[in-house]
Amino acid sequence: MSGPDVAPAPPLTFVIFGATGDLTRRLLIPTLINMSRSGLVGDDLHILGIGIEPGGVDMLLEKLDSFLATSGDMQEPERQEAWQSLRKRIAYISGDFTQNAVYDEIGKYLSQAPSANAAFYLAVPPRFFGDVAEKLSATGLMNETAGAFRRIAIEKPFGHDLASARELNARLLSHANENQIYRIDHFLGKETVQNIMTTRFANMMIEALWNNNYIDHVQITAAELVDVGTRGKFYDSTGALRDMVPNHLFQLLAMVAMEPPNSFDAESIRNEKGKLLKALRVYSREEAIQNGVRGAYTAGPLAGKDLPAYTGTADVAPDSNTETFVALKLLVDTWRWAGVPFYLRTGKALKARDTEIVITFRQVPFAQFPRPASRPQLPPNRLIIQVQPDEGLDMEISIKAPGLVLKTVPISLDFRYADRFDIGKQTGYESLFYELFVGDQTLFQRADGIEAGWAAVQPFLDLWAEGGKPDPYAPGSMGPTCADDLIQRDGRAWHQPDDKPEGKKV
């Protein structure tokens, strides 16, 4: 998204709860700098920080200046100019956001602000989401007047199981309307993810094959090279399943498998995504045993350093049963996808950082071409949507190799965003914040979709809560052997991050 293509967002005050925290300086402020630089927001954007740390705006600006000074990106004159302009429009209120006094101060600030528009971003622990929404509502800060909006933005986790997700949604919706609540999944800010719908619905040769007549199976992988690190306390109460599957991976699944919307407005798209997530088969306990596996990394070398085992990580219980890897086989009970398995996996301390969607098509019904005895079948066609780190698309097909002998070889037709477009140094939040400011909820989750996602993973949560240890796997691998067994018993194999056809890329 670039400035010349769209009008700047309307004037507003962006209120950040948790303004002195890591998320604000690492992501929120750099995003706003990028947006200012590209013209997505104008000089009528004002920022009001809320934090428990004592002090005034000079304290906050000193923290932000200090952090930004370590960023190589800020050496660019245009970014520095954008920051100098933006910092003049930052204010700060120190206080406890669980007490009414802070909200009275916010109300006074907004009553004197150039615009009555306000968006409240909750960069606070998830347990406070409901409390802040309740305080905003009780003090009248969520009341909208003619021509002025009030919106709340929160990030996952949206609950930690189905019951808590329902409770959180009920509490939020008792204090704000659904059209005022923006549930952020930062995966949806990535260009490649947003391009999934265009790839499908703007290309007849793809959408015509997008069903169980032609697709054999779908794999969605979100592999992380990093370990748990200093997040042991959070991760040990969360685990790979809760952290990634009902939000990030299910959003990718929904965009791949949803039916075509009858328009591209927010509600039409969210309706179709919600229908798809509700169509995920909810397994019985016995089915969950057969269709889900988990693992935890052991001690070993990773990226040139000696990594302790997950259970040896700071703030992790030595006898922890929490998983750092999960793999699932899921089914979507619709006509389009009947019989097509969706294999999902995600984990920490793996071989590479790689988020991808692999669509594997069925084998050709009959191959007339001579084949070696070791490979009697042609390799299937595959469409690989690379979400990160090297955003792009690959289509794997077979062609004739040059020469007098009829020999087929697989090749990859590839496209990389960075080769064709100047996507710049983006945080991935620019499009999300812009849509928040203009009031477009297309890239944000709705309550029913969140609850449908939790319903699909609840059988696995219940099963693993009964006990048992995750299977071990070595750092730098692609997970435990039980994940390979999960897919191999169906006669399939995981796509590996460095898999490439034997022929040259075209």
Side-chain angles (χ1 to χ4, degrees):
M1 183 180 292
S2 60
D5 298 329
V6 294
L12 80 152
T13 299
F14 191 38
V15 183
I16 302 174
F17 286 85
T20 58
D22 177 67
L23 182 64
T24 299
R25 57 178 174 264
R26 183 172 50 87
L27 278 174
L28 306 191
I29 294 300
T31 296
L32 296 173
I33 291 172
N34 288 343
M35 295 177 72
S36 297
R37 176 178 175 270
S38 60
L40 293 177
V41 295
D43 293 342
D44 47 14
L45 169 70
H46 293 260
I47 300 169
L48 175 60
I50 311 298
I52 194 67
E53 290 195 37
V57 68
D58 290 341
M59 178 275 297
L60 176 59
L61 291 175
E62 182 179 348
K63 285 180 175 291
L64 296 176
D65 284 332
S66 177
F67 177 81
L68 292 172
T70 66
S71 171
D73 295 347
M74 291 305 295
Q75 304 306 313
E76 298 179 11
E78 290 184 348
R79 276 192 170 82
Q80 188 60 238
E81 182 181 347
W83 168 235
Q84 293 305 317
S85 173
L86 191 65
R87 73 191 303 279
K88 297 174 184 176
R89 289 172 272 122
I90 296 178
Y92 179 72
I93 294 174
S94 173
D96 183 350
F97 60 76
T98 66
Q99 304 300 315
N100 287 339
V102 167
Y103 299 87
D104 293 338
E105 290 296 314
I106 296 173
K108 292 177 184 177
Y109 178 92
L110 293 178
S111 68
Q112 300 170 8
S115 170
N117 295 329
F120 303 97
Y121 187 96
L122 276 53
V124 299
R127 67 181 182 275
F128 293 115
F129 289 167
D131 295 336
V132 175
E134 183 176 342
K135 292 290 187 182
L136 289 171
S137 174
T139 53
L141 293 174
M142 290 305 298
N143 296 341
E144 296 184 323
T145 58
F149 61 76
R150 297 294 167 91
R151 297 168 185 148
I152 296 177
I154 61 174
E155 289 208 47
K156 66 98 174 171
F158 311 115
H160 62 272
D161 56 15
L162 178 57
S164 60
R166 285 173 171 166
E167 181 181 353
L168 175 61
N169 280 329
R171 193 173 182 194
L172 290 173
L173 291 169
S174 68
H175 300 297
N177 297 322
E178 181 64 57
N179 62 11
Q180 293 180 291
I181 303 172
Y182 289 69
R183 301 174 186 84
I184 292 178
D185 185 333
H186 69 262
F187 263 41
L188 296 185
K190 298 182 181 298
E191 286 288 352
T192 320
V193 175
Q194 296 178 48
N195 194 42
I196 292 173
M197 287 193 294
T198 306
T199 301
R200 285 186 57 188
F201 304 135
N203 297 287
M204 178 56 72
M205 67 177 185
I206 291 179
E207 180 59 20
L209 305 179
W210 214 255
N211 56 64
N212 55 7
N213 291 326
Y214 300 100
I215 292 178
D216 179 76
H217 72 281
V218 177
Q219 297 180 25
I220 301 176
T221 295
E224 296 184 86
L225 181 63
V226 297
D227 59 289
V228 171
T230 60
R231 302 174 69 225
K233 185 175 182 180
F234 161 78
Y235 206 85
D236 207 34
S237 63
T238 305
L241 180 63
R242 286 186 171 95
D243 189 38
M244 294 291 288
V245 177
N247 37 71
H248 298 334
L249 297 196
F250 277 7
Q251 286 301 301
L252 296 179
L253 190 157
M255 297 189 82
V256 166
M258 62 186 273
E259 292 299 315
N262 53 21
S263 76
F264 280 92
D265 65 84
E267 285 310 291
S268 295
I269 292 173
R270 299 205 302 175
N271 285 342
E272 296 303 333
K273 288 168 65 176
K275 289 178 187 177
L276 187 284
L277 292 171
K278 291 172 187 174
L280 287 171
R281 185 176 300 180
V282 178
Y283 289 136
S284 66
R285 181 183 182 279
E286 291 70 26
E287 290 171 327
I289 293 173
Q290 295 297 316
N291 293 290
V293 298
R294 59 181 180 151
Y297 60 80
T298 58
L302 179 69
K305 67 176 183 178
D306 290 327
L307 181 69
Y310 170 68
T311 50
T313 303
D315 299 321
V316 172
D319 60 347
S320 173
N321 293 333
T322 300
E323 76 284 352
T324 62
F325 176 97
V326 63
L328 307 176
K329 174 187 175 182
L330 300 175
L331 297 171
V332 177
D333 290 329
T334 65
W335 277 27
R336 181 187 290 264
W337 297 111
V340 177
F342 287 75
Y343 299 98
L344 278 60
R345 60 176 175 168
T346 183
K348 298 277 191 184
L350 297 179
K351 182 178 181 180
R353 176 175 177 252
D354 178 59
T355 301
E356 64 179 18
I357 302 163
V358 181
I359 314 295
T360 300
F361 292 88
R362 294 187 181 278
Q363 296 280 355
V364 294
F366 176 68
Q368 303 93 328
F369 312 102
R371 302 287 298 163
S374 60
R375 289 184 295 140
Q377 288 186 315
L378 290 170
N381 299 137
R382 294 189 296 193
L383 174 64
I384 302 171
I385 302 170
Q386 191 70 38
V387 177
Q388 61 182 16
D390 193 13
E391 295 92 339
L393 297 170
D394 291 294
M395 173 63 82
E396 297 181 0
I397 63 173
S398 293
I399 65 166
K400 177 187 175 296
L404 298 179
V405 178
L406 180 58
K407 178 184 177 183
T408 61
V409 295
I411 58 98
S412 177
L413 307 172
D414 71 351
F415 158 74
R416 292 292 173 265
Y417 266 91
D419 294 341
R420 178 64 178 83
F421 302 104
D422 179 14
I423 56 178
K425 298 174 181 177
Q426 304 291 303
T427 67
Y429 278 67
E430 289 82 2
S431 58
L432 295 170
F433 280 10
Y434 182 80
E435 303 297 341
L436 167 65
F437 297 164
V438 301
D440 187 333
Q441 292 184 300
T442 302
L443 301 180
F444 299 87
Q445 297 189 61
R446 201 169 62 186
D448 59 338
I450 288 171
E451 293 176 16
W454 279 113
V457 302
Q458 192 64 49
F460 300 103
L461 293 174
D462 294 340
L463 174 66
W464 296 338
E466 295 175 7
K469 290 286 186 181
D471 284 18
Y473 66 92
S477 68
M478 282 305 290
T481 56
C482 59
D484 296 326
D485 296 340
L486 175 71
I487 194 170
Q488 286 174 1
R489 67 168 177 251
D490 294 337
R492 302 181 176 101
W494 292 109
H495 180 255
Q496 299 302 320
D498 52 0
D499 277 358
K500 288 293 180 184
E502 59 195 46
K504 294 181 179 180
K505 295 189 291 183
V506 174

